[in-house]
Amino acid sequence: MPTRIMQILKLGFHILRALNYPLSDHASPEDIRLWCLEFFSHLRIRIHQQGCLPDLSKGPYLIVSNHVSWLDPLAICAMLPASFVSKVEVGRIPVLGTLARRGGTLFLDRSSFRSLGTVSHKMEGMIKAGRSVAFFPEGKTTFGSELLPFAPALFEPACRSRIPILPVAIQYMRKDRTERSIAAAFVDDQGFLDSFLNVLGEEGLEVCLGWAAPVLSDRESRRELAIRSEANIKEMLGYGDNGHNVVIEGMRSFGNSPKAGALP
């Protein structure tokens, strides 16, 4: 059987396993982490990282990142399990929306102040329960060549809970990591199937995660936290004077995931 067909069949089976098991109810953070690692293994996407992962035994983090692709939350969860905040439109995407809901994602209606208050309150509850929460403060995806201004609203739970913020820089690169890839970018009105096929068609796609130094939230306003987090990610991405990012250096590879530890 052709290799590509086998790859698609394995991916389909792996996704069906998750659809049949509500992740938020029956799987531990480690189960979710290993499921995400195996997902990237089936996609043949290598994960690299720069910087040090935080010690979650010391408490949860509010994780913020630039936003390029539907793969972003899966890549972060493969290294550091967290619950995500996503726009409500994501919940309507077949398969992807179901996976997001079963992974404990909170859906935000950006046109509703009530939704913002509800999501912020739920984020704070998760944080108090010891769960790290992640969101994308740009509010939309880009091709990865720019960083949009960070909206400060969802930094409020960190202010109230006094937890550190962990900025994460994401880049998608070609195999030798000398050139940025836009294959994973999920932008504008692009359909999920079209984006998924682009990812499958990009040989040697690699995702690079840069863990910046945590931002302490003891005495700063949410706007100040947003500005500092944005600056840390911009520095990690290596933005130059021309406004474009360059390759992250010093990445450590996490390669293909282990087969053990998949969801039951």
Side-chain angles (χ1 to χ4, degrees), residues 7 14 20 32 86 125 156 166 169 180 187 189 193 227 235 264:
Q7 179 189 13
H14 189 62
N20 287 327
I32 296 174
S86 182
E156 184 64 28
L166 180 64
R180 183 173 50 85
V187 296
D189 296 324
L193 180 58
I227 291 172
E235 181 180 4

Side-chain angles (χ1 to χ4, degrees), residues 89-103 105 107:
E89 291 84 353
V90 171
R92 303 186 186 120
I93 299 175
V95 181
L96 184 62
T98 303
L99 287 173
R101 282 191 295 274
R102 293 186 175 179
T105 295
F107 292 106

